[in-house]
Amino acid sequence: MDEFHRIMTDIVQLARLAIQGKQKDAQVFIRRLARRYEQLEPELSAHLSSLLRQVQKPMQESSPVLRGAVVESMPVDMDSRLSLARVEHPVHLEYDPSWSLDVRTKLNELVYERSHEEDLRRENLSPARTTLFTGPPGVGKTLAARWIARQLERPLVTLDLSAVMSSFLGRTGNNVRNVIDYAKGVSCVFLLDEFDAIAKRRDDSIEVGELKRLVTVLLQEIDGWPASGLLVAATNHHDLLDPAVWRRFDLVVEFSMPTEMDVKRAVQIYLGNASENKRWIDVLIPVFIGSSYADIERDLKRIRRQSIVLKEPLEKRLKEFIAERVNGLKRSDRARLALSLVDVGFSQREAHDWTGVSRDTIRKHHDTGSRTQWQK
Ligand SMILES: Nc1ncnc2c1ncn2[C@@H]1O[C@H](COP(=O)(O)OP(=O)(O)O)[C@@H](O)[C@H]1O
Ligand SMILES: [Mg+2]
């Protein structure tokens, strides 16, 4: 067999293994190739060997692009070989989140301080090293940690609580310590996401004493966190935290449910930018008032998916969705919805049929323009 045919056969074999998802076999095959080309094509051989070294490190399938040193030294549980942390680097966001004024100010503060490290050091100060994110679920705490990592162009390392907690009794503390040592070493944004989950879990797989030790280990880290990194702790239950704990963080950022402006922006983001959707934005605001970002994202993405797979106009799915929701709305939001419907071109009768708001009311508000009272 000449060299060319041999390469062809190799490519086909590699493609077969890849398509069949035979990772182990592919590794064995690649190792053989690396050996075979050692003399002839040393560069290719080195490249293949380096690829092999990367996969031999246990890592989670779902981890996005992982690079170099950050991944090389990633700590794993001794027995299960599960990664104890997840690394995202570089962080890629689908869209630019819109933060409320207060949140934006504080997040920017964290980022700007990093770009003035020298100036701060001259005055014997360091940028904020630790921050606590609090707020209800689904309002952007995890997203904010990712956003900061992106702005700082640092890896985001997240302690994998489920891996840590499932580790064998007695090793949890050690595991957490390993992750922390690792995170301190790679100058990253280190996210302790929903770290109250540790404190809350009191079932039998992990004893209370152990839990307490774990929380103590974590809290001790706040004070000693190196200025080369940023520790972000996020919690949905700030009320469970001792005020003494709050005070240990350099900066506390409180996330709240989206305001009307935020709802509008979220609808714009998640509705997609097809221009025919634009007129629905105002209609959807009253429907989503009081929802979290996570709810808005979930509902709108579902509607878009349905419209695609059922090959139905988005408008049809949106109408059905609004019809489902209308009964749960507050009276004022329902009235507002009725008026938005008229504004985007539905008749007063249709607006009434949909929302149950009387045509009199619709007409009155529409004619006098007094709907602005709902648009605040
Ligand atoms: N300010 C925002 N703008 C747009 N989308 C957001 C915003 N905040 C959160 N989301 C979306 O809502 C979902 C939940 O956000 P997440 O950060 O996981 O919430 P939390 O950590 O507070 O529970 C995510 O998919 C995220 O993209
Ligand atoms: Mg979260």
Side-chain angles (χ1 to χ4, degrees):
M1 194 159 46
D2 67 26
E3 196 56 28
F4 179 72
H5 270 100
R6 192 158 164 178
I7 293 173
M8 299 283 267
T9 322
D10 286 347
I11 291 177
V12 171
Q13 171 66 356
L14 203 52
R16 183 179 300 127
L17 295 172
I19 285 168
Q20 293 172 344
K22 294 189 172 159
Q23 204 194 1
K24 282 264 145 21
D25 293 349
Q27 284 176 33
V28 171
F29 187 67
I30 292 169
R31 189 166 307 123
R32 198 184 306 152
L33 291 181
R35 262 201 308 272
R36 192 194 299 156
Y37 288 105
E38 218 165 356
Q39 304 295 326
L40 213 59
E41 293 285 344
E43 217 172 301
L44 170 67
S45 167
H47 202 147
L48 293 176
S49 306
S50 120
L51 284 173
L52 283 172
R53 275 198 298 280
Q54 283 177 30
V55 288
Q56 278 153 6
K57 303 283 168 195
M59 61 168 123
Q60 293 205 324
E61 301 260 280
S62 61
S63 295
V65 196
L66 298 169
R67 282 206 301 217
V70 185
V71 182
E72 293 281 302
S73 51
M74 183 116 108
V76 294
D77 182 60
M78 237 162 51
D79 286 342
S80 65
R81 310 301 296 168
L82 276 179
S83 307
L84 297 168
R86 290 188 303 270
V87 178
E88 194 177 353
H89 184 56
V91 174
H92 169 76
L93 301 181
E94 280 172 64
Y95 49 84
D96 263 310
S98 65
W99 306 113
S100 66
L101 186 61
D102 178 55
V103 168
R104 184 169 13 145
T105 309
K106 286 182 164 167
L107 296 183
N108 277 331
E109 198 176 312
L110 290 168
V111 174
Y112 287 151
E113 286 186 7
R114 295 283 155 168
S115 50
H116 291 87
E117 264 183 282
E118 278 306 310
D119 303 332
L120 291 169
R121 196 162 305 133
R122 245 175 273 128
E123 296 291 322
N124 240 348
L125 293 167
S126 62
R129 297 160 303 123
T130 58
T131 178
L132 176 67
F133 291 177
T134 70
V139 295
K141 300 182 295 299
T142 306
L143 180 67
R146 297 180 62 221
W147 182 86
I148 289 183
R150 189 191 70 172
Q151 299 307 96
L152 297 176
E153 295 173 358
R154 303 276 184 98
L156 177 76
V157 175
T158 306
L159 174 70
D160 192 329
L161 276 180
S162 54
V164 167
M165 311 262 285
S166 68
S167 54
F168 189 66
L169 191 73
R171 250 212 327 274
T172 319
N174 260 347
N175 276 343
V176 169
R177 224 180 282 273
N178 286 342
V179 176
I180 284 171
D181 287 344
Y182 161 78
K184 280 179 167 174
V186 292
S187 92
C188 57
V189 174
F190 180 48
L191 174 61
L192 287 172
D193 210 2
E194 306 193 12
F195 80 105
D196 46 285
I198 303 182
K200 271 195 322 206
R201 194 170 124 162
R202 296 193 187 268
D203 57 28
D204 46 6
S205 61
I206 191 164
E207 55 163 291
V208 175
E210 167 110 1
L211 268 172
K212 285 201 174 139
R213 274 196 298 282
L214 192 53
V215 174
T216 316
V217 169
L218 288 177
L219 294 181
Q220 277 164 355
E221 291 304 328
I222 304 172
D223 301 326
W225 203 256
S228 57
L230 176 67
L231 170 73
V232 179
T235 172
N236 295 334
H237 303 275
H238 67 273
D239 43 317
L240 293 182
L241 287 181
D242 190 329
V245 172
W246 283 59
R247 257 177 266 129
R248 290 165 101 150
F249 288 93
D250 291 335
L251 185 74
V252 176
V253 187
E254 287 170 66
F255 289 72
S256 25
M257 292 296 275
T259 62
E260 187 173 323
M261 286 269 286
D262 302 330
V263 169
K264 179 163 185 171
R265 173 93 177 102
V267 169
Q268 276 167 340
I269 292 171
Y270 295 118
L271 200 53
N273 32 20
S275 58
E276 78 265 25
N277 299 339
K278 288 221 168 70
R279 65 192 202 120
W280 285 94
I281 294 171
D282 284 330
V283 176
L284 285 165
I285 293 173
V287 179
F288 281 122
I289 294 274
S291 303
S292 68
Y293 288 102
D295 293 335
I296 300 173
E297 177 178 9
R298 188 199 49 216
D299 289 340
L300 289 181
K301 283 191 171 168
R302 175 158 169 252
I303 290 167
R304 286 169 59 199
R305 287 199 307 272
Q306 288 178 330
S307 138
I308 292 166
V309 300
L310 300 174
K311 298 196 172 53
E312 286 178 354
L314 189 72
E315 197 150 308
K316 177 156 185 271
R317 305 307 314 177
L318 283 170
K319 277 185 187 168
E320 277 174 26
F321 173 74
I322 292 171
E324 275 168 31
R325 285 300 182 88
V326 79
N327 285 330
L329 295 184
K330 281 201 311 228
R331 246 180 68 148
S332 56
D333 288 334
R334 216 181 311 157
R336 199 179 143 179
L337 172 63
L339 291 173
S340 313
L341 287 168
V342 175
D343 280 347
V344 299
F346 292 96
S347 68
Q348 294 187 357
R349 164 184 283 281
E350 282 172 308
H352 161 75
D353 289 346
W354 277 37
T355 58
V357 175
S358 78
R359 288 171 70 184
D360 261 359
T361 310
I362 297 175
R363 194 174 312 117
K364 202 170 82 210
H365 287 295
H366 194 254
D367 293 347
T368 60
S370 62
R371 65 187 173 285
T372 46
Q373 83 183 61
W374 287 305
Q375 288 185 337
K376 294 237 181 66

